[in-house]
Amino acid sequence: MNGPYEIFDNRFRDLVLLNVSLRKLSGGHLWTEGPVWFPAHQCLLFSDIPNQKIYRWMCDGTVNVFRDHSNFANGNTRDAQGRLVSCQHGTRSVTRTEHDGTITVLADQFEGKPLNSPNDVVVKSDGSVWFTDPTYGILSDYEGYKSTPEQRHHNVFRFDAVTGELASVAHDFAQPNGLAFSRDEKRLYVAESGQSHDDTVPSVIRVYDVVGGNRLENGRDFAAIEPGLPDGFRVDCHDNVWTSAADGVHCLDANGVLLGKILVPETVSNLTFGGPRDNELLITATTSVYAIHVNTAAARGPKT
């Protein structure tokens, strides 16, 4: 073991900086999630779901409330125009914050019925919005409003930002959670986190082939996560997957081989790449947010 690291493959040494340490950026929250970096503003936004707030961490170390009464916002991402896209448990919707501050609802129902509780979201280079829709936000009043699911499945959805069409692209999950595209966007990784409420559900990340840019085929297990379960993750510029786990952040190569771990003192929920030079992992973990410099950066999707 080297500092906050566990190294299982020497390739991991080239991806981290053994002389740096994990830093705590913010604490005292209830359940942090949805980290997203905004380079134009040099800030990190992250959700505290039960507290119904989206917080903003600035490079000078200050933390303030970006949005109060966030409708139990969970996952967040940024689109190509620099707009915030969020999953809201409270309204069971996916929304986009426009540059003037107004909020546009992208999706809140499918086949005429309310969504379950959109959880995590990514925007593809063609502008389409892909998100997961498990039931975590309607299981109790802690992270949303307790309600009976009306969807037949726990879907992965694709929202076409041009036509406004919402389509289910996968529904073979107990509870789909985090998702991310491979560097070339030819594969989509999706977390299966159903073990949170059912011990018989495997704790795995699944991967699908993206066909025609808008369909998923050939779903299969990519990697098992132990200890804990996969929640949120990101893909770096070398096509490695950096995923949350109970003991920290696990780094997997494109074939699902575990290269190493960054140990974190709280259960990790999600992470993103960012920082002034785009060389930091920004990690949401239970009551806190952490950061650590790495020797890699986020994957950049293909130009369209």
Side-chain angles (χ1 to χ4, degrees), residues 88 147 197 254:
Q88 298 179 178
S147 185
H197 290 76

Side-chain angles (χ1 to χ4, degrees), residues 127-227:
S128 57
V129 178
W130 302 59
F131 65 95
T132 54
D133 190 38
T135 56
Y136 291 122
I138 55 176
L139 293 177
S140 72
D141 290 323
Y142 185 61
E143 295 187 15
Y145 302 107
K146 188 174 182 179
S147 185
T148 301
E150 296 184 52
Q151 292 294 322
R152 292 179 297 162
H153 304 291
H154 300 171
N155 294 284
V156 179
F157 284 112
R158 177 186 183 272
F159 174 76
D160 190 312
V162 176
T163 66
E165 178 186 2
L166 183 65
S168 171
V169 290
H171 56 75
D172 52 338
F173 286 89
Q175 294 282 28
N177 206 312
L179 70 173
F181 285 100
S182 62
R183 183 175 52 177
D184 60 9
E185 296 185 341
K186 292 182 179 179
R187 299 183 305 282
L188 180 69
Y189 300 97
V190 184
E192 169 61 91
S193 62
Q195 194 176 102
S196 60
H197 290 76
D198 184 348
D199 289 340
T200 67
V201 177
S203 178
V204 296
I205 296 174
R206 306 195 70 205
V207 64
Y208 294 80
D209 297 326
V210 181
V211 179
N214 60 5
R215 303 191 319 278
L216 299 182
E217 294 183 1
N218 191 28
R220 66 268 187 199
D221 288 352
F222 169 70
I225 303 303
E226 171 68 30

Side-chain angles (χ1 to χ4, degrees), residues 13-61:
R13 296 179 183 272
D14 295 328
L15 299 170
V16 295
L17 301 166
L18 298 179
N19 62 328
V20 305
S21 59
L22 189 72
R23 309 177 338 263
K24 187 173 181 177
L25 304 183
S26 184
H29 307 286
L30 288 179
W31 178 245
T32 59
E33 250 287 4
V36 55
W37 178 257
F38 279 82
H41 303 285
Q42 291 292 287
C43 72
L44 174 75
L45 298 185
F46 64 92
S47 300
D48 183 340
I49 304 174
N51 274 324
Q52 288 211 66
K53 298 181 189 297
I54 297 177
Y55 286 94
R56 173 172 47 203
W57 176 85
M58 307 295 292
C59 289
D60 63 3

Side-chain angles (χ1 to χ4, degrees), residues 36-41 45 66 77-85 96-99 123:
V36 55
W37 178 257
F38 279 82
H41 303 285
L45 298 185
F66 171 79
T77 194
R78 188 185 72 244
D79 69 9
Q81 288 73 46
R83 296 172 295 189
L84 174 67
V85 179
R96 183 178 64 215
T97 301
E98 310 298 343
H99 291 303
V123 178

